[in-house]
Structure formats: C-alpha cells, structure tokens
Amino acid sequence: MVALGGGHGLFASLSALRMVTDELTAVVTVADDGGSSGRLRRELGVLPPGDLRMALAALCGDDEWGSTWSEVVQHRFRSEGDLHGHAVGNLLIVALWELLGDPVAGLDWVGRLLGAHGRVLPMASVPLDIVAEVELDGVISTVRGQVACALTPGRVQAISLVPEDPPARPEAVAAVSEADWVVFGPGSWFTSVLPHLKVPELARALHATRARRLVTLNLAPQAGETDDFSPQQHLEVLRQHAPDLSIDVVLADTGVVDDPDALEKAAAALGARLVMADVAAGDGSPRHDPRRLASVLDEIFLRKR
C-alpha cells in the first residue's frame, strides 16, 4: 500500500492503513513553509520535516514504546526563546539529515527508533513552493506558499509547483510502481493531495502503475482552500489536474454526502465506483475514526465491498 498526502489527513489515512497491511509506504508532500518546518527550511535549506514527522508518528505502534515515541516526536517546546514552537521530531529528523546526508536514510533511522509500521518518503528531493490561482469577486490572482494558499480569501482554482519540474525521490517512484493499492487523501486538497500529481516523474508513475487507486474524501471543506466544496467538487478538481488518471474506488462518509447521485456521477467520470460507509469519528468532529476506516478499507482491498 502507498498512501499519498500530508498533515492531519495523511495521519488519519496511515493510522487506519497500518491496521490492515504490513507493507505500507507514505509518500509525503514537501511544500510546507509555515511554523517549525518553515523556520528549519529557511534557516538550513532542508526539506520541511513536519508532514514527514506526522506520518512517522501515525505509524507508531499502540504499545508503550510506540505511544511514548509518538508523543515525543509530536511534542512542541513552549518558551520565550528561539525553540518556541519547534517540534522535537522535526529537530531529530533534521539532525539525522545533517549527519547522514540523505533524507531517506534519516527518515528510515527515525522509523527504526519509533518502531514505525511502515516507511515514510518525501515525494521530491527538494523543497517545493505551491502557487495557487485564486478567484475572488471575478478576479484571478496568484498566491505563493502553502500557508498563503491555505489562508487566502477567495476560491483556489488550480495549483502549480516551483520549481516546475522538481526531481522526484526515486524511492517514492519505485514504491508507487510496485504497489498493489495507491490511496489519495483525505487531506488538504490543493496543498497536500494534488501536489503529488504535479511532480512529473511521480505523476507518470501514478498514471502507469498497475496498482488500483482509491480516493478517500474529506469529511468537511477546509477553510481557505475548499470553502463550500461539495464532495463531488473535490473529484472534479482532481480530474481537472489529472484528466488521464483513472481511479478505481472513491470512499465517502455516508453522513456528509447530500447528493449521492451527483457524487456517483463524479466518481464514474474518473472510472471509479463509489463506496459510502460510516467512517467518521463518533464525536461529531470532522475526523476519520481509524478503526472504522480500517475496517472499510480492508473490505475494499479484499473486494468484499
């Protein structure tokens, strides 16, 4: 299994997927320019480590070792000084990168320390900037940077990357090429999910792989990125960014689909069948419940649903 994305959405996907497979790889976006990641990126010229750290934390086991290390790497310092806001895991990852000189080797070492149930890879070898075309009151403008894209007023229409032709990590391309399933989402649609399709070599692998492809839809629109988006609009945007990409399954939570027929039509336009199930957390928050999601994904993978 290969899971694509970043941030909290990928964390949710990995938390479920690690329950149903022992062979799991996360391919993570590297465009974050805010917070601790942005500071380390600007100061040291490294890949932003935050989304990679979150993916590793999601892969930690449920035993005492795993739960402790998951909390450690996610812990943020609180101070009046320069360490304020830095996540322990970000510093650990960057330290290993400096010592080993190889981002993938550094992540593998952190994974070993955490007892991670899977592997975490960056999608590109260099830090990326996201450029978004934004429509506001009938006027199209551009904004640059992941934070700016997420917070921009107006509706994001499309994204591109700077540099335009970034080098994909060979390990990420190989993982996609060798996968049985590739899972897109959930997550920030324009800044975590779609960027994978804008790295040319990785995009070619996503189109050419013999793996089946699944899209897990979000439980709610994301403020600043997908305000007022319906579930089917997420699929329409995916199709606009990758018109030749075929999808096998679209998974949506039953409670957030107001127009099943429209969503089924949008899924069919991608070549996919629609699966609707209760995968949201029971507390009413817009979060996927890992066990519910794992159960449904397992049935899909085994072709029982």
Side-chain angles (χ1 to χ4, degrees):
M1 308 290 176
V2 172
L4 309 178
H8 294 283
L10 182 60
F11 186 97
S13 183
L14 294 174
S15 297
L17 285 167
R18 70 178 178 83
M19 299 181 192
V20 300
T21 179
D22 294 325
E23 297 184 43
L24 177 58
T25 300
V27 177
V28 185
T29 184
V30 285
D32 191 4
D33 59 353
S36 171
S37 287
R39 289 159 61 191
L40 291 167
R41 171 181 174 169
R42 288 187 293 272
E43 184 172 342
L44 301 174
V46 295
L47 296 173
D51 287 346
L52 298 160
R53 178 202 81 243
M54 285 192 68
L56 285 162
L59 294 175
C60 286
D62 294 323
D63 58 0
E64 183 180 12
W65 181 273
S67 60
T68 299
W69 275 109
S70 180
E71 290 182 11
V72 169
V73 296
Q74 295 282 64
H75 177 74
R76 291 185 184 273
F77 294 105
R78 296 288 179 259
S79 74
E80 300 298 324
D82 292 340
L83 276 177
H84 178 74
H86 273 306
V88 172
N90 289 356
L91 302 178
L92 176 63
I93 290 168
V94 172
L96 279 161
W97 285 348
E98 290 196 344
L99 288 169
L100 300 175
D102 182 348
V104 170
L107 292 167
D108 285 344
W109 272 94
V110 178
R112 290 168 61 187
L113 174 65
L114 272 55
H117 294 231
R119 195 180 193 197
V120 173
L121 301 170
M123 70 176 185
S125 299
V126 297
L128 304 175
D129 278 334
I130 294 174
V131 177
E133 296 180 9
V134 181
E135 184 272 328
L136 180 62
D137 297 330
V139 177
I140 303 294
S141 60
T142 60
V143 296
R144 177 167 173 167
Q146 180 169 316
V147 172
C149 294
L151 299 179
T152 182
R155 174 169 288 195
V156 178
Q157 303 290 308
I159 59 141
S160 57
L161 296 179
V162 176
E164 291 185 2
D165 190 7
R169 283 301 310 191
E171 300 90 344
V173 172
V176 168
S177 299
E178 296 166 8
D180 295 311
W181 281 87
V182 174
V183 178
F184 296 82
S188 303
W189 217 241
F190 287 100
T191 56
S192 291
V193 178
L194 296 180
H196 294 76
L197 296 164
K198 293 298 181 179
V199 178
E201 191 177 2
L202 183 59
R204 286 193 290 271
L206 288 167
H207 282 76
T209 181
R210 289 180 292 179
R212 303 187 76 198
R213 305 171 187 87
L214 180 145
V215 172
T216 305
L217 288 173
N218 293 338
L219 297 173
Q222 181 170 356
E225 272 198 39
T226 54
D227 287 316
D228 302 321
F229 266 42
S230 65
Q232 54 266 28
Q233 283 176 295
H234 286 75
L235 298 183
E236 290 163 2
V237 167
L238 173 61
R239 189 179 179 203
Q240 290 166 10
H241 283 76
D244 297 324
L245 182 70
S246 63
I247 302 296
D248 295 279
V249 179
V250 170
L251 173 59
D253 181 72
T254 307
V256 302
V257 179
D258 294 328
D259 191 342
D261 290 339
L263 182 56
E264 190 166 20
K265 182 178 179 181
L270 292 166
R273 62 185 180 89
L274 174 64
V275 173
M276 294 176 56
D278 295 324
V279 291
D283 59 6
S285 65
R287 297 180 302 107
H288 287 84
D289 180 275
R291 295 195 179 278
R292 288 181 179 179
L293 182 57
S295 177
V296 174
L297 288 172
D298 192 40
E299 290 182 353
I300 291 172
F301 297 151
L302 294 175
R303 307 196 182 196
K304 295 180 179 180
R305 182 190 283 258

